[in-house]
Amino acid sequence: VREALSCPEVVLELFATAAALDRYGGLLADAPVSQISERAATGLSETVHPQGLVAVCRAVDVGLDEVFARGPRLVAVVVEPNDPGNLGTIVRTADAAGGDAVIVAGNGVDLYNGKAVRASAGSLFHLDVVVDADPLAVIAAARRAGLRALAATAAGKLALGDAPLAEPALWLFGNEARGLPPEVVAAADAAVHVPIYGRAESLNLSAAAAVCLYASATAHRSRSHA
Amino acid sequence: VREALSCPEVVLELFATAAALDRYGGLLADAPVSQISERAATGLSETVHPQGLVAVCRAVDVGLDEVFARGPRLVAVVVEPNDPGNLGTIVRTADAAGGDAVIVAGNGVDLYNGKAVRASAGSLFHLDVVVDADPLAVIAAARRAGLRALAATAAGKLALGDAPLAEPALWLFGNEARGLPPEVVAAADAAVHVPIYGRAESLNLSAAAAVCLYASATAHRSRSHA
């Protein structure tokens, strides 16, 4: 809620219990709040232990053109994600890694799913998000904007350390079970795998995204310091 | 179940529906199986869509001495984890990164929680696991075995890239909300933070673990190739 309030014109309505008004009063000072009962807060929230504070927000997603017009250097695309926790965690990780945008492509879980929003820990309001994108259109737009499209896939030819990490990157991540569609891998500039040094078959989607996004973020910064 | 069956003397009993016997028959060829109804399978499983196959396994955890007697080079310690999904994901990530062991320390979620086991995707059976460890005893044992104890903490003095990553490492990760206990950070050889380049306050626990464990795994391998 704090991160939503930090974005102009995002919060439409706020609801808070008496206890939440006491606890978060400073945060809410400039916003119109309706007081609600504990029972109503439980009804509005999807969690077992609600904090008693609910913000109704407008959708924050933007269009592809807007994302690429800003000259992004690090963008994550998640194609047909299945797990809202993974999707929200990737938004949080992309934000932490200094990413400019997260794009949800294909038919996947809703970015505004309560679990995805909570897993993003406020990062949903920190970077550009795009929903319902066509993955091939994303790759084309990214290429025009000077980004390398890197498909993260266990079968990728390049090991992560051999990928062109110093370049501005559009990272593409696939569904938890099926991975990326073959046509998306084929359209990318490179197919990249995170090396598996042990006996695990693969990494969890959000763990793989963390390793890839931080690899680019680190390489971007060592190039600029060199 | 396949990974459990690949470990000698781990599986005590197997239960399978008729459909699962058809589907996984090859896998089960050498193991004694009791056939069960779909209804019994649903009762035995904690998931919404059970696969109809259940293995009863003995506990696989070992003692600290056993872990450090094997000369490990990469060990993850999770102190008081709260979320079984995070814990299981860290086991899977540690396995993928070529880690030797995962140690659960302090009072946290049970490593044998069904969600943790499923999130580990079989990796629970691939590396050494220790439960109910005392974190300070772990650090002492690791140091005697020649590992550097690296405490992952947002307030850590060293940025990840400046940490002594080429050395054999014992990585310590803390609770999702509270982080590592101060006495654990103080006892470690270094306190290390993953740089936050954007506006996120922090990384998700399992994302931070992925970045740290892969940083060590990569550095271990570039040193041996140098």
Side-chain angles (χ1 to χ4, degrees):
Chain A
V1 171
R2 185 180 63 229
E3 301 311 305
L5 285 168
S6 75
C7 294
E9 295 174 32
V10 160
V11 177
L12 303 176
E13 274 188 281
L14 279 165
F15 298 100
T17 60
L21 280 172
D22 269 3
R23 185 160 179 190
Y24 304 111
L27 179 63
L28 307 176
D30 298 328
V33 189
S34 306
Q35 192 174 327
I36 55 173
S37 67
E38 294 286 342
R39 197 171 149 215
T42 303
L44 281 173
S45 163
E46 297 165 9
T47 59
V48 180
H49 301 291
Q51 291 177 285
L53 183 59
V54 175
V56 179
C57 301
R58 67 167 179 78
V60 292
D61 55 276
V62 297
L64 274 190
D65 292 351
E66 197 172 323
V67 167
F68 290 109
R70 296 190 216 251
R73 295 175 49 81
L74 182 58
V75 175
V77 186
V78 196
V79 182
E80 299 172 9
N82 186 45
D83 180 298
N86 272 334
L87 180 56
T89 299
I90 290 173
V91 173
R92 180 176 173 184
T93 302
D95 179 16
D100 300 286
V102 173
I103 298 171
V104 188
N107 288 317
V109 70
D110 185 1
L111 179 62
Y112 299 117
N113 173 302
K115 237 183 125 170
V117 172
R118 286 194 302 279
S120 87
S123 291
L124 183 62
F125 302 104
H126 290 165
L127 36 65
D128 282 343
V129 293
V130 178
V131 298
D132 292 330
D134 172 71
L136 299 180
V138 172
I139 292 174
R143 204 172 276 144
R144 284 194 300 273
L147 283 80
R148 297 281 191 109
L150 305 176
T153 170
K157 261 192 195 167
L158 286 182
L160 179 61
D162 299 324
L165 296 174
E167 305 298 317
L170 179 89
W171 274 104
L172 296 140
F173 305 104
N175 175 274
E176 288 84 350
R178 301 185 303 275
L180 282 169
E183 67 273 19
V184 173
V185 177
D189 295 301
V192 180
H193 70 271
V194 177
I196 302 290
Y197 299 119
R199 289 168 58 203
E201 244 177 53
S202 63
L203 282 164
N204 163 280
L205 171 58
S206 58
V211 173
C212 292
L213 292 171
Y214 262 92
S216 283
T218 305
H220 289 173
R221 281 158 184 83
S222 36
R223 194 182 63 161
S224 57
H225 291 164
Chain B
V1 171
R2 184 180 66 229
E3 302 311 306
L5 285 167
S6 74
C7 294
E9 297 173 33
V10 160
V11 176
L12 302 176
E13 275 188 280
L14 277 166
F15 299 99
T17 60
L21 280 172
D22 269 2
R23 184 160 181 192
Y24 305 110
L27 179 66
L28 308 177
D30 298 328
V33 189
S34 307
Q35 193 175 327
I36 56 172
S37 66
E38 294 285 343
R39 196 170 149 219
T42 303
L44 280 172
S45 163
E46 298 166 8
T47 58
V48 179
H49 301 290
Q51 291 177 287
L53 183 59
V54 175
V56 178
C57 301
R58 67 166 180 80
V60 291
D61 55 276
V62 298
L64 274 189
D65 291 352
E66 197 172 324
V67 167
F68 290 109
R70 296 191 215 253
R73 296 176 48 81
L74 182 58
V75 176
V77 186
V78 196
V79 182
E80 300 172 8
N82 185 45
D83 181 298
N86 271 334
L87 180 56
T89 300
I90 291 172
V91 172
R92 179 175 173 185
T93 302
D95 179 15
D100 301 285
V102 173
I103 299 171
V104 188
N107 289 316
V109 70
D110 185 2
L111 179 62
Y112 298 117
N113 173 303
K115 238 184 123 170
V117 171
R118 287 195 302 279
S120 87
S123 291
L124 184 62
F125 303 104
H126 291 167
L127 36 65
D128 283 343
V129 292
V130 178
V131 297
D132 291 329
D134 172 73
L136 300 179
V138 173
I139 292 174
R143 204 171 277 143
R144 285 192 299 271
L147 283 81
R148 296 283 190 110
L150 305 176
T153 171
K157 260 192 197 167
L158 286 182
L160 179 60
D162 299 324
L165 297 174
E167 306 296 318
L170 178 90
W171 274 104
L172 296 141
F173 305 106
N175 173 275
E176 288 84 349
R178 299 184 305 274
L180 283 169
E183 67 274 18
V184 173
V185 177
D189 295 302
V192 179
H193 71 271
V194 177
I196 302 290
Y197 299 119
R199 288 167 58 204
E201 244 179 51
S202 64
L203 282 163
N204 164 279
L205 171 59
S206 58
V211 173
C212 293
L213 293 171
Y214 262 92
S216 282
T218 305
H220 290 174
R221 281 156 184 86
S222 37
R223 194 182 62 162
S224 56
H225 291 162

